[in-house]
Amino acid sequence: AVLVLLLVSSLSVFAVVKIGALLPLTGGVSAFGDLVKKGIELALEERGTVLGEKIEVVYMDTRSEKTEAANGIARLIDKEGVIAVIGEVISGNSIAAGEIAEKKKVPMVSPSSTNPLVTQGKKFVSRVCFIDPLQGTALAEFAVKTLKIKKATVLTDVEQDYSVGLSNYFIERFKKYGGQVQQLQYKSGDSEFSAQLSQALAFGAEAIVVTGYYNEIALVAQQARALGFKGYILAGDGADAPELIKIGGQAVEGIYFTTHYHPDAPVTSVSKKFAEAFVKKYGVRPSTLSALGYDAYMLVVEAIERAKTTKPELIATAIRSIKNFQGASGTITIDANTGNATKDVVILTVKKQQFAFAATISAASLK
Ligand code: PHE
């Protein structure tokens, strides 16, 4: 009997499919990691097996840093033996980790990294979100057509590939409409923006566009309002964490930013079910990154099921052939050549200290 027990327990240890989740659980953008993790945990509860085996998600913290992202994915693959990786969240970290995924021929699916370089030239890296040429264009279209802005100061976080790219795509389209741009720089972790803000005021900016992440966006908003700036504050999906409001308070009221999802704008039947299940489990409404984390997990598991094997190379091929996948954040088709998805852009605002749905800009309208 002891022998049988030993056999059974060693077998059940063996019969586990390991999926890595490479996330910024600590450090500068830790709010993002936590939101994605919540989405993955919910998805795991709903679909906890694949190919008849139990799924184990192995979490790896990148500390919000590129070198740790690269080290972390290597550890997931070499030490933990994961057959696929969900991650990273921010583009710079996904670019660093993606190089390793590519070398080791293990598929990586980013829930949320929008810079084109994340998947460019790669076979093993894909994503379930749109990319920044689309996002930057959408933000410029909204600024010009809806808000009638003609003069904008763009604040770029020069340490983040995401911010550098998004700034450029915004500026390109904004200038096409004859808009005037002043571009200024800052760095992740900066907390003092008065030099840039006094330049923006002198320029006569009607909008300050901050293309980085929530911490700095919140601080820019506070300091801009304290200096008497009355114009619009705009941002990209990097604003999309509840911490923006926790840190920014009243200063972020009325901000507009582009993103991927809001529970008040469900796009698929999965969007609704996901939002209900999320509220039930966590007692709060889901954020964009939880929806995207949920989708990345579900898509990876679906690809493993379709590949009918745990061989990473074949799973990568299966990921690249997924079409019309019904996710919480929308319908996902992974382009076989680029690994990218094309989805509509959602615009949110902050109203009474809550994220509120403002508009959807369809991808098709942004050509
Ligand atoms: N798009 C951001 C990046 O590439 C990450 C992000 C997506 C953050 C969605 C918040 C919400 O760095």
Side-chain angles (χ1 to χ4, degrees), residues 29 32 35-36 88-94 110-115 118 127 129-130 132 135 160-163 166 211-214 236-241 257-260 287-290 292:
V29 294
F32 289 161
L35 293 170
V36 172
E88 221 262 10
V89 178
I90 65 169
S91 289
N93 293 354
S94 287
S110 174
S112 54
S113 292
T114 45
N115 187 280
V118 170
R127 61 182 128 208
C129 57
F130 56 62
D132 287 333
Q135 175 166 216
Q160 299 294 344
D161 300 280
Y162 157 73
S163 182
L166 185 59
T211 57
Y213 299 123
Y214 58 92
D237 54 1
D240 202 347
F257 61 92
T258 45
T259 190
H260 311 254
S287 290
T288 289
L289 281 174
S290 299
L292 291 173

